[in-house]
Amino acid sequence: LQIASLNDKISRLTGVGAGASPNDLLDQRDQLIKDLNQYVKATTIAQSDGSINVFIGTGQNLVVGGETFELAAQPSKNDPQRTTVVYMQNNREVYIPEDALDGGLLGGLLAFRTDALDAAQNSLARVGLGLVESFNDMHRAGMDLNGKLGQNLFDFARSNGSSNDAPNM
């Protein structure tokens, strides 16, 4: 929003033809773009009126002249437990693929979640599943005091047969 406001001021001052460049405003805008790049990789395209258009990801507009577009964090359509980044365009949510947001703090966090955290959670779920299966195998092999064969102590539901289904204990 601040970048768009500065774009408006810069284009008005540049359009006046006073001959003076609005250096302070240009410096402020450059600093805001630098700050934005700490969070997400942004690319810019200078316009003839002195304004700068700012894009992220695979070309999603963030600032076009004096107009701004909003980013938001929303539950994923595929997995409501997973938060994803959406781009607001014409009052419509456009989901941005995680791999499209590289660079910056946001890109780093998304890469960590995809490359490290997801793998660690899946590995931990497989360990738990193996433990449950081994324990249940041993429990079923025994009998109680009345001679009744043992049953599973733990139950787990496999929704799709994947290895990341967690046991219900």
Side-chain angles (χ1 to χ4, degrees):
L1 189 59
Q2 293 174 347
I3 295 171
S5 174
L6 287 170
N7 269 345
D8 279 342
K9 291 176 185 174
I10 291 167
S11 66
R12 275 189 270 123
L13 290 172
T14 304
V16 170
S21 178
N23 290 330
D24 289 346
L25 299 177
L26 293 169
D27 290 345
Q28 288 176 31
R29 185 180 64 192
D30 288 346
Q31 183 61 47
L32 288 172
I33 292 169
K34 182 179 176 185
D35 293 344
L36 174 64
N37 270 295
Q38 291 179 356
Y39 295 101
V40 64
K41 181 181 174 186
T43 55
T44 60
I45 297 177
Q47 302 301 302
S48 60
D49 65 354
S51 66
I52 289 182
N53 295 344
V54 181
F55 305 93
I56 61 161
T58 55
Q60 288 79 17
N61 300 331
L62 200 56
V63 178
V64 176
E67 188 177 0
T68 60
F69 298 86
E70 184 179 335
L71 292 178
Q74 298 286 338
S76 170
K77 289 189 290 187
N78 299 332
D79 181 1
Q81 299 296 320
R82 192 175 186 93
T83 301
T84 189
V85 179
V86 296
Y87 168 70
M88 305 302 287
Q89 182 178 28
N90 301 327
N91 293 327
R92 209 183 72 194
E93 295 174 348
V94 178
Y95 288 81
I96 302 174
E98 287 183 14
D99 59 354
L101 294 172
D102 59 348
L105 181 62
L106 180 59
L109 289 171
L110 291 172
F112 170 75
R113 179 173 72 178
T114 301
D115 298 340
L117 188 59
D118 288 348
Q121 287 176 325
N122 287 336
S123 293
L124 184 58
R126 284 192 303 273
V127 167
L129 184 59
L131 180 66
V132 164
E133 287 178 342
S134 296
F135 197 92
N136 282 343
D137 287 346
M138 294 303 291
H139 205 257
R140 282 192 312 270
M143 290 186 198
D144 65 12
L145 292 174
N146 298 322
K148 183 179 173 187
L149 288 175
Q151 298 178 356
N152 287 344
L153 181 63
F154 299 109
D155 186 25
F156 59 94
R158 288 183 187 252
S159 59
N160 61 6
S162 68
S163 63
N164 61 355
D165 291 323
N168 298 323
M169 295 186 209

